[in-house]
Amino acid sequence: MAETCYRHPNRETAVSCSSCGRPICPDCMTPSPVGMRCPECMKQRTKVVRGVGGASLRTAAPATFALIALNVAVYLAEVASGPGGINSPGASLIVHYGLFGPSVASGQWYRLLTSAFLHEGLWHLGGNMLLLFFLGRILEPGIGTPRFVALYVASLLAGSFGALLLSPESLSYGASGAVFGVLGATFVVARGRGVDALASSVGALILLNLAFSFGVPGISVGAHLGGLAAGVACALLIVAGERGMLGHRHFPAEMIAMCAIGVLSIVAALAIA
């Protein structure tokens, strides 16, 4: 049975608000960078954008800023625990919390998570956080913070699985697996909502980063591919929910499925470690 616009019950529609998920007809649609929004959500969004200074950005994408802050805090802890200085902090935390197959196999499963918050130097941290800053401010307001956090964690864990699958004996670390997931998700959601200009730009960025991943020695290709695959899968779930394929109350189904991707990534990583 087709859904009807929540403001015009006599009009059938296949489009949902990208923020709250309620079905909306063409008269109620307002285009935004990541899809169509209903009138109420557009009013709320306008209030946020017109806030004071940077507070509006943090309000629109709180998880993005929290993740950036956490990565920076861990990097400062690396600097404090090593002799290398601000640009080369040393390997103390990386050795103890980075992703290493034999250590994971011996019971240190927490490395699947902690490795994604460690970075080799300022260039490594800065590159990942810059991408997260720009992409997170686009994607998180468009899909909501709970979905964004679930997607990020699922991509992070799938990235760890990919890294162990392709290079179990290598010590790997960094947020790039999760960031690749955000890249892939932004592309899929933009395409699913008809924002083709954004999708084209992000698609080109994905190809550029993949070329860099395969062309530069020492980069964990498995982490990038695993994170990208999980991000795309999570975004496809979100788009399917918006199109009514997961039922009227699609938010719980999306969250359960994204959590399942993360859990399956952990199980698979432990199985191959």
Side-chain angles (χ1 to χ4, degrees), residues 3 16-22 142-144 146-151 154 189 193 230 233-262:
E3 292 184 316
S16 299
C17 173
S18 61
S19 180
C20 67
R22 291 179 292 186
I143 65 175
R147 289 186 183 93
F148 181 81
V149 171
L151 183 150
V189 171
R193 294 175 178 176
C234 290
L236 288 173
L237 287 167
I238 294 170
V239 172
E242 292 175 349
R243 294 180 177 178
M245 299 178 185
L246 303 179
H248 183 66
R249 296 179 60 82
H250 51 85
F251 175 77
E254 294 166 14
M255 293 296 291
I256 291 171
M258 285 190 279
C259 290
I261 291 173

Side-chain angles (χ1 to χ4, degrees), residues 36-168:
M36 298 296 179
R37 292 180 184 271
C38 68
E40 282 76 10
C41 289
M42 281 305 299
K43 292 177 183 177
Q44 294 172 6
R45 178 65 175 153
T46 300
K47 292 177 182 177
V48 171
V49 172
R50 294 179 180 176
V52 179
S56 61
L57 297 178
R58 291 191 294 272
T59 303
T64 297
F65 284 88
L67 287 166
I68 291 173
L70 180 57
N71 276 277
V72 172
V74 172
Y75 185 76
L76 292 177
E78 290 182 59
V79 173
S81 65
I86 189 68
N87 193 42
S88 182
S92 177
L93 290 182
I94 290 175
V95 168
H96 289 96
Y97 295 99
L99 187 63
F100 185 55
S103 297
V104 174
S106 69
Q108 298 177 19
W109 57 268
Y110 54 83
R111 289 175 178 258
L112 299 172
L113 180 66
T114 57
S115 60
F117 295 93
L118 298 166
H119 291 86
E120 184 176 13
L122 280 177
W123 64 270
H124 191 198
L125 174 72
N128 282 331
M129 293 305 101
L130 188 64
L131 276 175
L132 181 58
F133 174 75
F134 285 113
L135 294 169
R137 291 186 303 141
I138 295 172
L139 184 62
E140 186 181 348
I143 65 175
T145 297
R147 289 186 183 93
F148 181 81
V149 171
L151 183 150
Y152 188 93
V153 174
S155 300
L156 181 160
L157 294 170
S160 293
F161 163 66
L164 289 180
L165 181 64
L166 296 188
S167 51

Side-chain angles (χ1 to χ4, degrees), residues 166-261:
L166 296 188
S167 51
E169 301 295 327
S170 299
L171 180 65
S172 58
Y173 43 90
S176 53
V179 172
F180 258 84
V182 175
L183 262 171
T186 304
F187 172 78
V188 171
V189 171
R191 283 296 300 270
R193 294 175 178 176
V195 191
D196 294 335
L198 175 61
S200 297
S201 298
V202 175
L205 191 58
I206 292 173
L207 293 176
L208 179 63
N209 278 274
L210 284 176
F212 185 77
S213 301
F214 284 99
V216 178
I219 291 181
S220 179
V221 175
H224 292 185
L225 294 178
L228 179 64
V232 167
C234 290
L236 288 173
L237 287 167
I238 294 170
V239 172
E242 292 175 349
R243 294 180 177 178
M245 299 178 185
L246 303 179
H248 183 66
R249 296 179 60 82
H250 51 85
F251 175 77
E254 294 166 14
M255 293 296 291
I256 291 171
M258 285 190 279
C259 290
I261 291 173

